[in-house]
Amino acid sequence: MRVLVIGSGAREHALVLALSRDPGVTAVLAAPGNAGIGRIAEQFPVDAASAEQVVALAKDQQVDLVVIGPEVPLVLGVADAVRDAGIACFGPSAAAARIEGSKAFAKDVMASAGVRTAHSEVVDSPADIDAALDRFGPTWVVKDDGLAAGKGVVVTADRDAARDHAAEIIENGHPVLLESFLDGPEVSLFCLVDGETVVPLLPAQDHKRVGDGDAGPNTGGMGAYTPLPWLPEGSVDRIVDEVVRPVAVEMVRRGCGFSGLLYAGLAMGAEGPAVVEFNCRFGDPETQAVLALLESPLGAALNAVATGALADLPPLQWRDGAAVTVVLAAEHYPASPRTGDVITGADDERVLHAGTKRRDDGALVSAGGRVLNVIGVGDDLGAARDSAYTTLAEIKLPGGHYRSDIGLAALEGRISL
């Protein structure tokens, strides 16, 4: 099976790496890829958001399966175009991708499916912001109703900061979604979904804030770990039964059945799981940790979803132990990351590239806010953390920064339900 992976980040690097280890995959291609992906897959300079370019490449390279990593091509309907061309595609239709592309749509689906989530209200006029804020708090959750690459959310006890963020979103032409604050530790659960068939992967936890101790602004994610030692046994089945499957069934009922990876971001409160958000694709950086423990062939699993055969897929097999991924970010990320700095010491296979490129002289340089992901795998969470941070210590990036506490609260027993 020849597989084409669409995207250019560390998530796609992780997908390419896992696919290259599948004995049933004869070739892995990537578009547009990055400097790290280029070491293990042939790359093509294609615009990931262009349905015409993606379809033309898939036909030219006679691929059997297209795997779309980022959310933007999915929301724009690239998966639809690939399937219309007669090529199997892992990724939901544009209609189904609205579960991420429109938070208001997601809320409506959850309401119909009886899924617990935060109370919310959409505001699309600056004149309505103050009155709406009065109906929320004392912790305000302010979201861009559209796609915001993980950085369109402000959670704050500062009303002025909440108001400023809401005003900025509306000024940029997007509606604002205000939500009640959901208490409890967060869980990311990825599920392979084929209509009403749901197969969960390992639960993970992301670290969204830029600094240690969850300080500073939200980012696209500064690191993640899996599994979750504090999550009670049976919690994954409960999330599938109470959240993911009801949503999958509701989307089928609406005529926009989901096919691909449905990501549920949840708050595990006293009353059980409540949805913070849904994503229509593999999450970044949780994917990097989760796939590090997958022993089953990834290509076979993704192809089963793409061809409507998920119900026949053998149970997924996982390595014992834990995995951690830590993000090395560029100076000034997430506000205005500096690019073009030379990176050294990043040759290890456990280093996944997110925002990198090769200069004409062959030097590896930063080309984005989140530059690298370092993977650590071990017999337990402590060993996985040690592995990741030992590797990270060998990498040099001027002005680069990372969190030193990925998975630490779980390791020290400071997370509980």
Side-chain angles (χ1 to χ4, degrees):
M1 179 168 59
R2 292 171 58 82
V3 183
L4 170 62
V5 176
I6 302 299
S8 61
R11 166 186 49 219
E12 288 74 35
H13 193 167
L15 288 166
V16 167
L17 185 61
L19 287 165
S20 70
R21 294 170 173 165
D22 182 341
V25 174
T26 55
V28 184
L29 301 81
N34 60 39
I37 293 173
R39 297 172 60 182
I40 53 176
E42 186 176 2
Q43 299 187 129
F44 299 86
V46 163
D47 179 359
S50 169
E52 290 184 2
Q53 291 185 34
V54 171
V55 169
L57 175 62
K59 287 182 175 180
D60 182 67
Q61 293 298 316
Q62 298 181 320
V63 302
D64 302 294
L65 174 67
V66 175
V67 177
I68 300 177
E71 62 272 27
V72 171
L74 294 168
V75 171
L76 292 177
V78 174
D80 302 79
V82 171
R83 279 189 282 267
D84 288 345
I87 302 168
C89 185
F90 181 84
S93 65
R98 287 180 294 165
I99 199 76
E100 178 173 3
S102 169
K103 295 178 180 63
F105 172 79
K107 291 289 186 183
D108 188 58
V109 169
M110 284 185 275
S112 297
V115 170
R116 291 185 64 245
T117 187
H119 167 67
S120 66
E121 184 175 333
V122 176
V123 182
D124 56 11
S125 169
D128 297 331
I129 292 175
D130 286 313
L133 288 173
D134 288 342
R135 293 188 284 273
F136 291 83
T139 298
W140 286 270
V141 181
V142 185
K143 297 182 177 182
D144 189 322
D145 185 52
L147 295 176
K151 298 185 286 293
V153 181
V154 163
V155 181
T156 180
D158 184 335
R159 181 192 168 96
D160 290 339
R163 190 186 193 287
D164 290 346
H165 187 58
E168 181 182 2
I169 292 171
I170 292 175
E171 185 177 343
N172 290 334
H174 294 181
V176 169
L177 190 76
L178 297 180
E179 289 187 341
S180 58
F181 178 69
L182 293 174
D183 204 4
E186 290 197 10
V187 173
S188 299
L189 184 64
F190 299 168
C191 293
L192 300 175
V193 176
D194 169 17
E196 297 185 8
T197 302
V198 177
V199 175
L201 308 189
L202 293 180
Q205 187 176 60
D206 187 11
H207 295 61
K208 282 293 187 188
R209 301 282 186 172
V210 72
D212 282 6
D214 293 328
N218 270 329
T219 70
M222 293 298 292
Y225 67 97
T226 186
L228 309 180
W230 49 268
L231 192 65
E233 186 175 354
S235 293
V236 168
D237 289 340
R238 182 178 181 185
I239 293 167
V240 170
D241 291 342
E242 295 184 10
V243 175
V244 183
R245 187 172 289 113
V247 165
V249 170
E250 172 62 18
M251 293 184 74
V252 169
R253 189 190 70 79
R254 291 178 179 225
C256 56
F258 196 94
S259 172
L261 193 291
L262 186 58
Y263 164 134
L266 308 130
M268 300 297 291
E271 299 179 15
V275 175
V276 176
E277 65 176 353
F278 278 111
N279 290 338
C280 64
R281 37 71 193 185
F282 278 102
D284 186 344
E286 298 100 319
T287 297
Q288 291 83 298
V290 170
L291 291 186
L293 296 182
L294 179 66
E295 292 189 334
S296 296
L298 179 63
L302 303 187
N303 191 58
V305 176
T307 58
L310 181 60
D312 300 323
L313 185 73
L316 296 176
Q317 301 299 312
W318 301 93
R319 167 184 167 160
D320 291 335
V324 172
T325 183
V326 183
V327 171
L328 176 62
E331 185 172 15
H332 305 313
Y333 176 79
S336 54
R338 192 176 75 191
T339 59
D341 289 309
V342 174
I343 307 161
T344 58
D347 295 329
D348 196 296
E349 188 183 58
R350 293 169 293 181
V351 179
L352 303 180
H353 292 232
T356 64
K357 67 178 182 180
R358 291 281 178 188
R359 285 195 321 213
D360 292 341
D361 63 2
L364 180 68
V365 298
S366 59
R370 292 186 294 173
V371 181
L372 299 170
N373 276 207
V374 178
I375 307 297
V377 176
D379 291 337
D380 54 32
L381 183 53
R385 272 180 42 84
D386 290 344
S387 174
Y389 283 108
T390 297
T391 301
L392 189 55
E394 301 300 316
I395 301 173
K396 306 301 178 187
L397 170 64
H401 59 96
Y402 57 89
R403 284 184 60 159
S404 67
D405 64 347
I406 303 301
L408 184 60
L411 179 65
E412 295 179 345
R414 291 186 278 117
I415 303 178
S416 61
L417 295 182

